[in-house]
Amino acid sequence: MNTIQIKDKKFVPYIDRKKIQEAIQKVAARINEDLAGQNPLFICVLNGAFVFAADLFREITIDSEITFMRMKSYSGTQSTGRVKEIQGLGEDITERTVVVVEDIVDTGYTIQHIKEQLRARNPKDIRVASLLFKPEALKCDIKVDYVALEIPNAFIVGYGLDYDEQGRNLKDIYVISE
């Protein structure tokens, strides 16, 4: 892994795919244990979480289903503080255990918004699984039930995370160097 450039920013290697996969396996094992017998519905938050959701879901051994929502809250390297729903949830989640699958929780605004929307649809339980968590950036009182990796408050790309829609295809995670 070498320094890379995406648009006007340089990024350096941060977390390699082996460490990512090990962390995902641990999260999946906890979910398999915690939610056995509940047939949870995993809700992947697009676009960023699709890579994590695919790898996580392949490690899930309990009966379960997956669906997708699409939200947007970033512009460039900053959270806008506003969450825009691009594609909502079509499934009935009444009395179902749902697991919201996110790529990263930083400010918490997106998860807070999603949980408020989901609560109105009467689920049995709402859990959150995130590949990455930035506790220093958190601005909302939310709980992340399953965290693969905690990171400091730095801007990252790769493994589904982007900078202006670029860099999602990187197999490893890179951190901004400028």
Side-chain angles (χ1 to χ4, degrees):
M1 293 194 303
N2 297 320
T3 299
I4 61 168
Q5 180 143 354
I6 300 174
K7 295 190 174 189
D8 60 333
K9 307 280 185 221
K10 290 187 192 269
F11 295 85
V12 294
Y14 189 57
I15 305 171
D16 70 44
R17 68 194 88 173
K18 183 177 183 220
K19 185 173 180 180
I20 295 167
Q21 293 306 313
E22 289 168 356
I24 290 170
Q25 289 169 356
K26 288 178 184 173
V27 165
R30 284 189 50 222
I31 292 171
N32 286 328
E33 183 178 320
D34 291 353
L35 303 182
Q38 296 187 44
N39 190 25
L41 176 64
F42 287 78
I43 302 172
C44 172
V45 181
L46 297 173
N47 284 344
F50 79 100
V51 176
F52 171 51
D55 285 349
L56 176 67
F57 201 63
R58 282 191 294 261
E59 297 292 330
I60 297 298
T61 57
I62 59 174
D63 288 342
S64 56
E65 299 170 36
I66 190 166
T67 191
F68 304 88
M69 295 178 78
R70 186 169 178 208
M71 312 299 259
K72 187 165 183 78
S73 65
Y74 259 75
S75 178
T77 62
Q78 299 293 316
S79 171
T80 62
R82 294 181 312 273
V83 179
K84 182 179 179 186
E85 182 177 312
I86 311 292
Q87 173 189 333
L89 187 65
E91 287 75 9
D92 180 10
I93 61 168
T94 305
E95 289 304 310
R96 291 228 32 207
T97 296
V98 298
V99 179
V100 179
V101 180
E102 260 288 30
D103 54 353
I104 188 164
V105 174
D106 46 25
T107 62
Y109 292 136
T110 302
I111 287 296
Q112 183 179 51
H113 179 81
I114 290 169
K115 286 180 86 171
E116 286 171 3
Q117 284 189 325
L118 295 178
R119 269 191 220 100
R121 298 175 71 171
N122 302 313
K124 176 181 174 185
D125 189 17
I126 302 171
R127 307 270 179 116
V128 176
S130 185
L131 173 64
L132 302 166
F133 178 47
K134 295 181 183 179
E136 297 167 17
L138 194 63
K139 296 182 192 283
C140 301
D141 184 20
I142 57 145
K143 178 182 178 192
V144 183
D145 303 278
Y146 306 103
V147 175
L149 299 162
E150 275 193 22
I151 62 170
N153 192 14
F155 188 77
I156 55 172
V157 298
Y159 199 80
L161 295 113
D162 72 299
Y163 169 51
D164 280 344
E165 299 302 326
Q166 298 295 306
R168 292 188 196 279
N169 58 320
L170 298 167
K171 294 176 183 170
D172 303 292
I173 294 175
Y174 292 75
V175 65
I176 198 164
S177 66
E178 337 182 272

